[in-house]
Amino acid sequence: MNLIKWDPFRELEDVSNRLNRIFGQSLARSESGQNMLAVADWAPSVDISETDSAYLIKGEIPGVKKEDVKVTIQDGMLTIQGERKQEKEEKGKKFHRVECSYGSFTRSFRGPDDADENSVKAEFKDGMLNVTLAKSAKA
C-alpha cells in the first residue's frame, strides 16, 4: 500500500475545477503558468494516445458540421475549436427537455517536444474528430 501525502490546496483546486465544469467554464493556464478563466459553452471529450510514430487525439463532437470545426497548432499548442448550433424553434414544436450542450467550444493541448508541428492531419467522420500529430525525425 502506498502512502499519499495529503495536499489540501490540490483538493481545493479539484473542487474549483468541478464547479467550473458544472457551470460550463474551464480553468486554463496561460503560457506563464498563471491561471486564466477561459469561458466556453461546452467542452468535447477527448482521448489522447501514442504510437511509435505519432500522437492521436480523438474528440467526440456529434452534431457538429465539419465546416464548424477548426484545428490549429502554433508554438506547440494544439487547439480545437468549433460550435454546435442549436435547432431553431419551430412553430408547433415544444421541447420538454434539453440536455445536449450547444454553443462554442475550445480545447487546447500542449504538444510533446518530439511532435512535428508541420505534419498535422485531421479527419472528421461520424461525429468523431481524429487529429494525428506525427513524431519528428529527431525523436
Side-chain angles (χ1 to χ4, degrees):
M1 181 165 97
N2 293 333
L3 292 177
I4 299 172
K5 185 178 178 183
W6 179 59
D7 182 359
F9 296 106
R10 184 180 308 156
E11 287 190 18
L12 286 173
E13 186 176 2
D14 288 343
V15 169
S16 175
N17 288 337
R18 288 179 187 165
L19 286 172
N20 286 330
R21 278 195 304 269
I22 289 170
F23 294 108
Q25 299 175 338
S26 62
L27 193 61
R29 295 194 185 274
S30 67
E31 290 295 316
S32 63
Q34 296 176 337
N35 290 339
M36 61 181 198
L37 193 60
V39 178
D41 295 326
W42 66 285
S45 300
V46 298
D47 292 335
I48 301 175
S49 58
E50 177 183 2
T51 65
D52 291 337
S53 60
Y55 298 95
L56 177 64
I57 297 99
K58 294 175 76 172
E60 294 180 334
I61 47 177
V64 178
K65 295 179 183 176
K66 181 179 179 179
E67 54 270 10
D68 292 334
V69 178
K70 181 180 176 185
V71 178
T72 57
I73 188 163
Q74 185 175 9
D75 299 327
M77 185 70 73
L78 176 75
T79 302
I80 302 168
Q81 33 187 178
E83 182 177 5
R84 181 164 40 201
K85 297 176 181 165
Q86 189 170 12
E87 288 181 38
K88 296 201 174 167
E89 215 173 297
E90 300 173 18
K91 290 196 178 227
K93 186 177 186 180
K94 295 181 193 176
F95 288 95
H96 293 278
R97 182 178 291 200
V98 177
E99 292 184 351
C100 296
S101 299
Y102 296 94
S104 63
F105 66 86
T106 301
R107 295 294 308 264
S108 294
F109 307 96
R110 168 76 47 207
D113 292 334
D114 63 344
D116 184 4
E117 289 187 22
N118 298 319
S119 65
V120 178
K121 181 181 171 190
E123 297 175 315
F124 186 81
K125 184 177 179 186
D126 299 329
M128 290 295 294
L129 174 67
N130 296 312
V131 179
T132 303
L133 184 58
K135 292 182 179 179
S136 63
K138 63 184 174 188

